[in-house]
Amino acid sequence: MKSKPSYQPVEIDLTASMSLFVGEEGRSDAMTEVSEKLEADKKTVLHFSLSDWATEGSGKLPPQALLNAMASLPMSSKIYVFGSEAFLWDIHQFALGAGFMSEQVKLNEPASSARRVFCTHCYTVMEDIVETPIHCQGCGLLLLVRDHFSRAHGAYVGLNINAEDPTEIPEKEAL
């Protein structure tokens, strides 16, 4: 079973009353290129380029200014997100929490193939994984990174690859 997200080219919705562009640091060129289409039509556009996230407990929180902007947008607004796949899905989850529907949040093609991986054995979440198998940072098990994607975690599933024979270690493959 594969549930890997597929990303379509972002199409600007000219009927949206406002547009919010959220980009991870280093993605401002792609974000600006898309947002200029709206600015030419004199639409209201808000930009956030995020480099720092506040950490609270086990999760990341966007800056309060972004949360305030999401809360103040009219219902007919769209949110366009640019960055790593983990960043895209973090912002997607925050937008849903702010009352937006998934259809209102447009995710651009991820900036890299790096993945967030969720260990199904100890629930550790690991960032920037580019190959499989990997050793879990929490329990140490050797994990196969599957193409099964959890939208709730914004992560791919990691499963123990050598449970029957721990000495069997497969070759690494790029994701």
Side-chain angles (χ1 to χ4, degrees):
M1 172 200 277
K2 292 187 179 185
S3 62
K4 183 177 180 179
S6 62
Y7 301 92
Q8 306 304 318
V10 170
E11 293 189 22
I12 298 298
D13 183 352
L14 297 175
T15 65
S17 56
M18 290 186 78
S19 297
L20 173 62
F21 288 83
V22 183
E24 194 170 27
E25 185 176 42
R27 294 291 291 159
S28 60
D29 288 347
M31 187 171 68
T32 301
E33 181 180 318
V34 173
S35 69
E36 283 175 349
K37 294 175 186 174
L38 278 176
E39 290 170 350
D41 287 341
K42 308 270 189 277
K43 290 285 187 174
T44 304
V45 178
L46 300 171
H47 290 267
F48 282 89
S49 186
L50 304 177
S51 59
D52 296 321
W53 289 75
T55 303
E56 181 177 288
S58 62
K60 291 181 175 181
L61 298 174
Q64 189 61 45
L66 176 58
L67 295 175
N68 292 344
M70 283 183 180
S72 67
L73 289 173
M75 289 181 66
S76 61
S77 299
K78 299 286 186 199
I79 300 174
Y80 301 90
V81 190
F82 300 81
S84 65
E85 192 165 42
F87 180 83
L88 298 178
W89 289 97
D90 284 345
I91 297 298
H92 182 267
Q93 286 301 104
F94 288 118
L96 295 181
F100 286 87
M101 295 177 55
S102 191
E103 297 80 24
Q104 291 176 277
V105 184
K106 306 298 181 186
L107 306 177
N108 196 47
E109 183 79 27
S112 74
S113 63
R115 295 182 177 183
R116 175 183 287 159
V117 176
F118 174 80
C119 176
T120 58
H121 305 280
C122 72
Y123 312 122
T124 296
V125 176
M126 296 157 281
E127 302 285 345
D128 300 322
I129 304 302
V130 295
E131 59 188 11
T132 186
I134 60 165
H135 282 91
C136 176
Q137 297 167 356
C139 63
L141 291 175
L142 189 63
L143 304 176
L144 170 68
V145 179
R146 303 265 329 259
D147 274 348
H148 183 73
F149 185 80
S150 164
R151 294 178 193 285
H153 294 290
Y156 291 87
V157 173
L159 302 169
N160 189 349
I161 194 170
N162 60 355
E164 285 87 28
D165 183 3
T167 63
E168 185 179 322
I169 301 173
E171 300 258 339
K172 291 205 179 269
E173 296 176 23
L175 294 172

